[in-house]
Amino acid sequence: MNNRLFRFCRFLVRKNLKPYTVVQNSNFEEPAASTSHHSTAGPKVYIVHHQNLRGPITSMAWFNQPLRPWVLSVFCERQSCFDQFYNYTFTERFGFKRPLAAIISFPISFFVPALMRSTNVIPVYRQPRETIKTFRQSLEALAAGENLLISPDVDYASTSDEIGEVYDGFLSLEKHYYRTAKEHISFIPLHIDVKERRILIGSEIIFREDINFREAKSEAAQRLRAEMDRLERGLTIT
């Protein structure tokens, strides 16, 4: 796939911002028990706090492995992208007058979908009936050995260091992947440490096999949240 636009944008980000160092920080002052007693060499699903794009952009620019990010489908097509920026981002959120919002939104509505294609994103659909498309593409990527990047924040526009409420539906990828691959997915939290310019990698969360899926999913969600909270509080050994 032609990813020249993505590589060019990543070059610009790296050229104009101080670099981030990727640090494995899975050891903590308060050790966290994993949801399984073994790790997996299979595909990874990395979870990062969105923070109004800071998390995904920093991860895509500086992480040391290729990632396929989940991105709202509205940013993947020109018309829906224009509608999103014109009817919400620049008017409702930033308070621009509609003529100015239209002038800005028009070129962006061509650039952003092109960048999404170049980045090889996986579109996330808001309509429940279309979520199967997201899962299908995600499972195909995982089967091909590709790693995913997901920002599960409910309030993705928040700039707070605390992640707040999150969705956990993405954890259902485990059930469908295990059914065919007979191996588990590693769900791994990332934390963007702006002060120290680091991307901290937390401990991997793996589903348990000795309980039913619903219980394992609930436990995995709790462990993942605890791991993210621990990274955010800086309880790491450097």
Side-chain angles (χ1 to χ4, degrees):
M1 182 175 182
N2 187 344
N3 64 348
R4 285 182 293 180
L5 180 58
F6 165 70
R7 288 188 285 112
F8 175 70
C9 291
R10 184 179 60 183
F11 166 78
L12 293 180
V13 171
R14 290 180 170 183
K15 189 74 173 178
N16 291 281
L17 296 177
K18 293 181 180 179
Y20 277 78
T21 302
V22 178
V23 179
Q24 183 73 45
N25 264 303
S26 57
N27 295 317
F28 297 90
E29 294 175 2
E30 300 176 13
S34 72
T35 51
S36 178
H37 297 295
H38 58 84
S39 61
T40 174
K44 318 292 184 187
V45 175
Y46 291 95
I47 312 300
V48 69
H49 181 11
H50 195 284
Q51 279 191 295
N52 200 24
L53 286 177
R54 174 187 289 170
I57 289 178
T58 304
S59 300
M60 294 301 295
W62 299 106
F63 199 60
N64 56 3
Q65 298 181 46
L67 300 169
R68 289 193 65 183
W70 275 20
V71 174
L72 282 176
S73 62
V74 295
F75 298 111
C76 300
E77 298 178 0
R78 196 203 68 78
Q79 185 59 55
S80 60
C81 185
F82 176 85
D83 292 341
Q84 176 72 15
F85 282 106
Y86 176 65
N87 292 313
Y88 172 69
T89 304
F90 294 125
T91 51
E92 295 295 325
R93 187 175 172 192
F94 293 143
F96 290 3
K97 299 294 185 181
R98 287 195 171 272
L100 176 59
I103 292 172
I104 300 174
S105 299
F106 184 73
I108 289 178
S109 69
F110 286 90
F111 172 76
V112 171
L115 178 59
M116 295 303 99
R117 291 191 295 271
S118 181
T119 307
N120 200 20
V121 306
I122 295 176
V124 178
Y125 297 90
R126 286 172 170 164
Q127 297 81 3
R129 292 183 179 180
E130 293 191 290
T131 56
I132 185 63
K133 297 179 183 178
T134 302
F135 272 68
R136 184 182 296 117
Q137 290 189 45
S138 299
L139 291 169
E140 289 173 355
L142 292 169
E146 297 176 311
N147 299 320
L148 307 184
L149 178 69
I150 297 176
S151 296
D153 311 52
V154 171
D155 184 8
Y156 65 86
S158 172
T159 58
S160 172
D161 288 336
E162 297 182 3
I163 191 170
E165 186 180 358
V166 300
Y167 297 109
D168 62 6
F170 64 89
L171 290 170
S172 294
L173 286 169
E174 159 73 17
K175 182 177 183 179
H176 301 288
Y177 182 78
Y178 188 81
R179 182 180 297 160
T180 56
K182 302 306 179 186
E183 66 177 10
H184 296 286
I185 300 172
S186 292
F187 295 91
I188 305 175
L190 303 177
H191 175 64
I192 308 303
D193 182 354
V194 178
K195 183 178 180 180
E196 300 295 333
R197 311 294 293 186
R198 301 181 300 176
I199 300 176
L200 305 180
I201 305 176
S203 298
E204 62 181 348
I205 307 300
I206 304 170
F207 276 57
R208 281 174 51 182
E209 297 180 353
D210 58 340
I211 55 179
N212 65 48
F213 176 77
R214 179 175 295 182
E215 294 175 318
K217 179 182 176 183
S218 176
E219 184 181 74
Q222 293 175 16
R223 296 290 189 187
L224 184 60
R225 180 54 189 261
E227 194 78 348
M228 296 184 78
D229 289 343
R230 190 170 288 111
L231 284 171
E232 289 173 2
R233 295 199 309 271
L235 298 180
T236 62
I237 297 176
T238 56

